[in-house]
Amino acid sequence: GDSVTQMEGPVTLSEEAFLTINCTYTATGYPSLFWYVQYPGEGLQLLLKATKADDKGSNKGFEATYRKETTSFHLEKGSVQVSDSAVYFCALSDLGNTGNQFYFGTGTSLTVIP
Amino acid sequence: DAGVTQSPTHLIKTRGQQVTLRCSPKSGHDTVSWYQQALGQGPQFIFQYYEEEERQRGNFPDRFSGHQFPNYSSELNVNALLLGDSALYLCASSSGLAGIPSYNEQFFGPGTRLTVL
């Protein structure tokens, strides 16, 4: 079945450091890939998405490229800020199946220190 | 434009009791999905409702049931609560045009924190 595996945390970085959070997936069809962010006490917010191979999703300085050959969708940011501290979830949705079910990774907690 | 809303925010129940959680989807959305997020884990899919019918279901027992109303709002019911049902329950809404990749996005509510004692 479909699944997502992402880098375990927690991750602690200094402000302005480079961020990479690894995500790989398994899917039977042609999934869309997502990164969601969850701030303390809140629900999930969509950070970025890519719907087909080689697409690059980007938002708020974050980027991720849909790599079908390596089944990966790694999240990157060149210079993190304290306000980026949150839990990041990689997810996929396989439109080949009915219902648009989302599969999530276990989440990676990021703390950025000044 | 109101986003996805859920009620209540927090809930405390005891083992064996029953609970009902409510969700109103984002304006223009007709599909509602429910997820359970245990502490420190990613959300796990419970089921999805579209056109007032359960369209897809995850690996959850029959104690978990739901309903969708004509206005697209939804309820999640859990019977015979267990300690392990303690979690954040998230509702997500999306457009029924899920066959089009550009519409393939789910918007999440803030969740209902259920504690079972």
Side-chain angles (χ1 to χ4, degrees), chain A residues 34 36 46 95 98-100, chain B residues 35 37 48 56 98 104-106:
Chain A
F34 305 81
Y36 278 84
L46 178 66
L95 287 177
T98 60
N100 193 21
Chain B
Y35 293 82
Q37 185 180 14
Q48 183 179 86
Q56 195 168 14
N104 184 18
E105 178 179 335
Q106 294 195 355

Side-chain angles (χ1 to χ4, degrees), chain A residues 32 34 36 38 42-44 46 49 51 89 93 95 97-102 104-106, chain B residues 35 37 40-43 45 48 55-56 88 90 94 98 101-102 104-106 108-110:
Chain A
S32 295
F34 305 81
Y36 278 84
Q38 188 175 35
E42 299 184 11
L44 277 71
L46 178 66
K49 68 177 182 181
T51 58
F89 292 92
S93 175
L95 287 177
N97 300 315
T98 60
N100 193 21
Q101 177 178 342
F102 272 53
F104 285 86
T106 55
Chain B
Y35 293 82
Q37 185 180 14
Q41 299 296 315
F45 177 75
Q48 183 179 86
R55 181 160 71 172
Q56 195 168 14
L88 180 68
L90 296 168
S94 56
S102 61
N104 184 18
E105 178 179 335
Q106 294 195 355
F108 284 81

Side-chain angles (χ1 to χ4, degrees), chain B residues 32 48-56 66-69:
Chain B
V32 173
Q48 183 179 86
Y49 278 83
Y50 173 68
E51 293 188 340
E52 301 180 49
E53 290 190 359
E54 183 181 291
R55 181 160 71 172
Q56 195 168 14
H67 187 76
Q68 186 178 35
F69 299 93

Side-chain angles (χ1 to χ4, degrees), chain B residues 32-86:
Chain B
V32 173
S33 301
W34 287 92
Y35 293 82
Q36 180 194 66
Q37 185 180 14
L39 196 63
Q41 299 296 315
Q44 298 292 314
F45 177 75
I46 301 174
F47 42 54
Q48 183 179 86
Y49 278 83
Y50 173 68
E51 293 188 340
E52 301 180 49
E53 290 190 359
E54 183 181 291
R55 181 160 71 172
Q56 195 168 14
R57 187 178 185 91
N59 188 25
F60 278 81
D62 292 344
R63 298 187 297 110
F64 290 76
S65 62
H67 187 76
Q68 186 178 35
F69 299 93
N71 66 353
Y72 308 123
S73 66
S74 176
E75 289 182 349
L76 164 66
N77 300 292
V78 186
N79 294 322
L81 284 168
L82 304 173
L83 295 179
D85 295 332
S86 296

Side-chain angles (χ1 to χ4, degrees), chain A residues 2-112:
Chain A
D2 294 0
S3 66
V4 173
T5 302
Q6 66 179 100
M7 186 175 86
E8 292 189 11
V11 175
T12 301
L13 295 174
S14 297
E15 204 165 23
E16 299 183 1
F18 184 84
L19 169 71
T20 299
I21 301 178
N22 291 336
C23 172
T24 57
Y25 68 91
T26 300
T28 54
Y30 301 93
S32 295
L33 301 175
F34 305 81
W35 278 100
Y36 278 84
V37 58
Q38 188 175 35
Y39 298 101
E42 299 184 11
L44 277 71
Q45 300 175 24
L46 178 66
L47 181 60
L48 53 84
K49 68 177 182 181
T51 58
K52 61 183 187 296
D54 300 325
D55 269 2
K56 176 185 283 188
S58 62
N59 186 27
K60 299 180 181 179
F62 291 89
E63 292 183 341
T65 300
Y66 189 145
R67 301 287 189 198
K68 188 176 180 182
E69 63 275 15
T70 55
T71 62
S72 65
F73 192 55
H74 304 321
L75 181 68
E76 296 181 338
K77 186 175 185 182
S79 176
V80 294
Q81 305 300 312
V82 172
S83 57
D84 294 327
S85 297
V87 180
Y88 292 82
F89 292 92
C90 185
L92 74 79
S93 175
D94 188 350
L95 287 177
N97 300 315
T98 60
N100 193 21
Q101 177 178 342
F102 272 53
Y103 297 85
F104 285 86
T106 55
T108 302
S109 175
L110 170 66
T111 301
V112 180

